[in-house]
Amino acid sequence: METSAALYALLLADPGREAADLRAELGCGEDEFESAVGELRALGLAPAGGRLTAVPVDTAVRALLADADHRFAELADRARATRAAVDRLHTDFLPLRTAPAHELVRGPDRIAALLEDAARGARTEALSLRPGQDRSPGALADKLARERIALAHRVELRTIYPVAALHRPAVLAHVQELTAAGARIRVAHTLPLWLIVVDAHLAVLPAPGEAGAAAVVVRDPAVVGVVRELFEHFWAAAWIPPELLGPAAPDDRHREVLRLLAAGLTDRAIGRKLEISDRTVRRLVADLTADLGADSRFQAGVHAARLGWI
């Protein structure tokens, strides 16, 4: 570093000097000198070939930035082309694959491969109930990797866990990571079975009566629709655990709005009682609904009651 800076200073002071004279004045060995020359050329402060001269710093900076812009543009073009090819494969060619309406998959490895394929193919939503899945660190890491693939495709990912599962630190940390990545997580006291629904065209269910790990893959749209409705039934009754909520509790104004909502007052009545506009009431209600991860005012009230906010 010091040798290359000293060499550049000599080139600026006397552009016409020979390399041998420069090395002698610097008092360095041939390897050290060649290394300094190589660094100057890599930085664009000396020509790539020919006579050793100094290139102005601003010229080197412009050249480096132009080269970086060119490389970035090429990389972006390749990424767009790859994404377009993948989308075409899924849109035009994947539907041509013949597959049975129902398929039995046996063995943890085959099930894991199935779930990874489903995560890579998801484009709109991935829904799941997780009552008693493997909670080992390895299984949780594999699950997180699969779900990050879906989230990278901007898929809406919604999962319900039994509330007792979050008492395990590894599961809680896993759920918090998922939430930070964009997933929506709720909990319920009990869940009858595990299931997965992907894009309303594929469902994965446990295979009853099978020894060992086994799952049934369903592609019949009518059956998948029923499974999806089952998930939505549990989603409506589930709630966001306190560990995943941002605010610990609402402020006084939001708490008063919650209390009046629970009492059955309309927005207009709440506004008159609190001496605020209807618009402000609607904004406060929207804040509470978002903070509680609720889909409706009624559900926000249920979640708030569970958390002891009202």
Side-chain angles (χ1 to χ4, degrees):
M1 179 71 176
E2 292 180 0
T3 303
S4 57
L7 174 59
Y8 185 69
L10 291 177
L11 291 172
L12 287 173
D14 189 356
R17 296 182 63 178
E18 295 293 333
D21 293 339
L22 293 168
R23 182 163 65 84
E25 182 164 343
L26 290 171
C28 61
E30 185 173 349
D31 289 344
E32 183 181 354
F33 182 78
E34 290 301 326
S35 176
V37 171
E39 183 176 6
L40 292 182
R41 286 176 171 161
L43 292 171
L45 293 173
R51 188 174 182 80
L52 189 59
T53 58
V55 174
V57 172
D58 55 347
T59 301
V61 168
R62 284 195 297 270
L64 285 173
L65 291 176
D67 181 63
D69 288 344
H70 178 69
R71 291 175 183 271
F72 180 78
E74 286 185 337
L75 181 61
D77 287 343
R78 288 200 298 270
R80 281 192 293 269
T82 300
R83 182 59 185 267
V86 170
D87 287 343
R88 182 152 189 261
L89 287 170
H90 279 109
T91 303
D92 297 339
F93 294 93
L94 188 60
L96 302 177
R97 181 184 64 179
T98 58
H102 310 288
E103 177 187 357
L104 180 63
V105 178
R106 293 187 179 92
D109 291 342
R110 288 192 62 199
I111 293 175
L114 165 70
L115 297 179
E116 183 168 345
D117 286 345
R120 292 187 183 280
R123 285 299 176 267
T124 57
E125 65 178 7
L127 319 174
S128 60
L129 302 183
R130 299 283 181 173
Q133 299 299 289
D134 187 354
R135 296 164 193 164
S136 65
L140 291 173
D142 290 343
K143 179 175 175 293
L144 180 63
R146 287 195 301 268
E147 291 173 333
R148 283 188 182 279
I149 292 171
L151 290 168
H153 294 157
R154 299 182 181 178
V155 170
E156 181 188 21
L157 196 151
R158 291 186 285 155
T159 303
I160 307 176
Y161 288 86
V163 66
L166 270 61
H167 296 163
R168 296 177 59 126
V171 178
L172 177 59
H174 170 78
V175 167
Q176 288 171 332
E177 281 193 79
L178 274 179
T179 302
R184 297 173 63 192
I185 306 295
R186 291 185 182 179
V187 295
H189 288 302
T190 58
L191 296 171
L193 76 168
W194 68 269
L195 64 82
I196 297 171
V197 179
V198 178
D199 290 351
H201 63 66
L202 182 145
V204 185
L205 300 164
E210 288 289 329
V216 175
V217 181
V218 181
R219 295 186 176 86
D220 184 310
V223 179
V224 173
V226 172
V227 177
R228 189 181 186 283
E229 286 302 316
L230 179 63
F231 171 85
E232 293 293 356
H233 169 78
F234 285 101
W235 181 260
W239 66 95
I240 299 180
E243 296 89 340
L244 302 185
L245 286 172
D251 58 28
D252 291 340
R253 173 176 278 192
H254 284 83
R255 191 186 296 274
E256 186 64 15
V257 170
L258 270 175
R259 187 183 67 79
L260 296 173
L261 276 176
L265 273 66
T266 64
D267 288 353
R268 180 169 296 181
I270 293 173
R272 285 199 302 268
K273 194 166 185 65
L274 298 181
E275 299 182 346
I276 57 178
S277 68
D278 293 358
R279 182 177 180 180
T280 300
V281 174
R282 288 193 296 271
R283 179 179 58 78
L284 293 171
V285 171
D287 290 345
L288 288 164
T289 303
D291 287 344
L292 289 161
D295 296 324
S296 67
R297 295 154 62 104
F298 172 77
Q299 197 175 71
V302 173
H303 293 351
R306 284 194 175 112
L307 291 169
W309 289 3
I310 54 176

